[in-house]
Amino acid sequence: MLPSPNLIENLFSRVRGMARRARPLAGGEMILRWTAAGALEAERNFRKVVGPLFFLELDAALRAHDAAIRSWA
């Protein structure tokens, strides 16, 4: 599990802010461009995940989650 959802919330907040700048009738392609711009802006504030153990824990959690989903189906 990620230590904090702040990274994800920050990304969503930046993307929302950038998407609001697009004109309402700009079309889907322009909205995608603004979304990408917001994601790139948020990326500048991301911190590096330190330590290989985090990735081992993340991998194990994702595999367990996938197994649980498969067992529900």
Side-chain angles (χ1 to χ4, degrees), residues 5-19:
N6 290 342
L7 174 95
I8 297 166
E9 292 299 326
N10 182 3
L11 173 64
F12 289 165
S13 173
R14 298 280 177 137
V15 168
R16 266 193 304 271
M18 294 295 276

Side-chain angles (χ1 to χ4, degrees), residues 16-47:
R16 266 193 304 271
M18 294 295 276
R20 284 188 200 123
R21 296 180 191 172
R23 292 182 299 140
L25 300 176
E29 186 175 325
M30 188 57 70
I31 291 172
L32 287 175
R33 286 182 186 192
W34 280 106
T35 301
L40 289 173
E41 183 179 320
E43 181 185 27
R44 291 184 206 147
N45 297 324
F46 291 170
R47 287 188 237 160

